[in-house]
Amino acid sequence: MDPNQRIARISAHLNPPNLDDQMVDGSGVNRVGCRAKGGSPGFKVAILGAAGGIGQPLAMLMKMNPLVSVLHLYDVANAPGVTADISHMDTSAIVRGFLGQSQLEEALTGMDLVVIPAGVPRKPGMTRDDLFNINAGIVRTLSEAIAKCCPKAVVNIISNPVNSTVPIAAEVFKKAGTFDPKKLMGVTMLDVVRANTFVAEVMSLDPREVDVPVVGGHAGVTILPLLSQVKPPCSFTQKEIEYLTGRIQNGGTEVVEAKAGAGSATLSMAYAAVKFADACLRGLRGDANIVECAFVASHVTELPFFASKVRLGRCGIDEVYGLGPLNEYERMGLEMAKKELSGSIEKGITFVKK
C-alpha cells in the first residue's frame, strides 16, 4: 500500500466521508473507509452526546468493549476532538466522529445499538423535571433521526428525566410507525449499581457478588430498591432499610452536591451505561439468561412504562418480569412510586402530542 493510501485509511475515522460530498484532502487523497487490520466482527454502536460529561467516559469504555466493531461518536460540539483522542486506543473498534445536525443521519445509518446521553446535566438545586424543557426537545430530535435511519436498532436512553424521555421517544417512534417496545429501554442501571454498592458496604460484602433489583423509575421516590429480594439473601433492620432506600433514591443528588456545581454523576453513570449496553450486545449476540433492570414499555403495573427486570435477547427485550413478592414497606413504596411516575410519563407523552 502506498503512503497516500495509508494516510487515507488512518484519517478516515477522524473525518468520515460525507455521503453526499466525498471529501478530498489537500494531497488529492480520497478519505476512504477505515478498518483496523484484524478487527473482530461485532456490532455497530452510536453514542449521541459523545462529547459530554457522560459521553466521553462512555465512549472510552465502549471503545474497550470487544463486542463493538464500529463506534460512531456524535455531538453538536467537540466531537472531532473526542474522536481523535479515543481513536488512538489500541482496541479493535473503528471510531468515527460526526459533528452537528447535518451529520446526525450519517452517524445513525446502519447502527445496531444507539446510546443517548445527550442533554444538559443536573446542577445543584435542580430537579430532573427542571431538565425537562431542554432535554425533551433534544431526545425528540434524536428519536426522529433514529426512526428514519436505524429503526430496528436497540435504543438505550440515559438523558434525564428518563421517566419522561423514554415515553417521548416511544411517541416519536409511534408517529413514524417504527415503535417496537422490545427495542426501547431507559437506562436505570446506575440505581442498581448504587444499590449493589451501598448494600455491600452495609453487609460487608463484595459488591460484585450483590444483586439488588431496583424497580419503578429513575428519579427520587420512583426508584424502588427491593431489598427483600437481594442476592445473596440478606436480613436488614428497619433502620437499615430506610437508610439504604433513601441513599439509593438520592444517590444522584449526593454526587451533584459533592461536586458543588462542577457537574453531576458522569463517571458512575458512564460505567453503568456501558454495563447495560454490554448486556444488550450480549443479548443481541444470542447469549442466554441476560437479565437486567430497565425502564421499558410494560404491563407489570397499570402504567404504560415501568422499570423491572427484563431478559435481553436477539430482538432486544425477550421478556419483562413481574415484581415478585413485596413486603409491606415495598408495597407502600410502590404506590408512592406509581403516583409520581404517572405524571412524569404523561408529561413526556403530552410533549410529543401537543
Side-chain angles (χ1 to χ4, degrees), residues 4 7-9 11-12 15 22-31:
N4 278 350
I7 291 167
R9 282 189 178 279
S11 65
N15 293 282
Q22 282 279 342
M23 284 181 59
V24 179
D25 67 18
S27 64
V29 178
N30 280 310
R31 297 184 187 275

Side-chain angles (χ1 to χ4, degrees), residues 57-300:
L58 171 57
M60 182 182 75
L61 292 168
M62 288 305 288
K63 176 73 166 92
M64 295 166 65
N65 190 314
L67 294 179
V68 179
S69 61
V70 174
L71 183 61
H72 282 189
L73 305 181
Y74 169 85
D75 214 317
V76 294
N78 304 324
V82 174
T83 303
D85 198 354
I86 285 175
S87 71
H88 292 181
M89 294 168 60
D90 59 350
T91 60
S92 62
I94 306 310
V95 186
R96 300 189 180 106
F98 301 85
L99 180 65
Q101 188 76 26
S102 64
Q103 295 187 354
L104 175 58
E105 291 187 6
E106 190 182 346
L108 288 168
T109 301
M111 294 296 105
D112 301 303
L113 173 67
V114 180
V115 186
I116 309 180
V120 298
R122 283 174 73 196
K123 293 183 173 63
M126 288 177 74
T127 66
R128 282 182 169 84
D129 276 345
D130 292 332
L131 304 177
F132 180 86
N133 288 330
I134 299 171
N135 289 357
I138 292 170
V139 170
R140 177 170 60 185
T141 299
L142 298 177
S143 298
E144 287 167 350
I146 291 167
K148 181 178 179 182
C149 301
C150 54
K152 295 186 182 302
V154 170
V155 180
N156 290 177
I157 294 186
I158 299 167
S159 309
N160 274 319
V162 165
N163 295 351
S164 299
T165 54
V166 171
I168 286 171
E171 288 301 313
V172 170
F173 295 157
K174 286 174 186 176
K175 273 190 172 183
T178 65
F179 179 57
D180 182 349
K182 295 181 177 181
K183 304 281 192 181
L184 177 62
M185 308 165 205
V187 180
T188 61
M189 180 66 88
L190 182 53
D191 302 322
V192 176
V193 164
R194 285 175 174 146
N196 293 345
T197 301
F198 302 159
V199 166
E201 286 176 4
V202 168
M203 304 306 290
S204 299
L205 297 168
D206 183 337
R208 293 170 297 181
E209 296 171 0
V210 177
D211 180 27
V212 184
V214 182
V215 303
H218 184 57
V221 298
T222 70
I223 300 168
L224 182 61
L226 302 182
L227 297 173
S228 67
Q229 298 180 25
V230 172
K231 294 179 182 175
C234 297
S235 180
F236 302 101
T237 65
Q238 187 60 30
K239 189 175 181 180
E240 286 171 336
I241 290 170
E242 290 171 5
Y243 162 77
L244 285 167
T245 300
R247 192 175 179 203
I248 293 161
Q249 289 177 339
N250 296 301
T253 303
E254 184 178 315
V255 175
V256 167
E257 291 176 352
K259 288 191 174 182
S264 58
T266 52
L267 303 175
S268 54
M269 183 63 247
Y271 165 81
V274 167
K275 192 174 181 182
F276 186 73
D278 178 70
C280 290
L281 294 178
R282 285 185 288 123
L284 290 174
R285 184 174 64 178
D287 291 16
N289 300 316
I290 307 297
V291 178
E292 301 292 353
C293 292
F295 186 66
V296 300
S298 173
H299 298 292
V300 168

Side-chain angles (χ1 to χ4, degrees), residues 1-12:
M1 188 184 291
D2 69 37
N4 278 350
Q5 286 178 303
R6 285 201 298 273
I7 291 167
R9 282 189 178 279
I10 292 166
S11 65

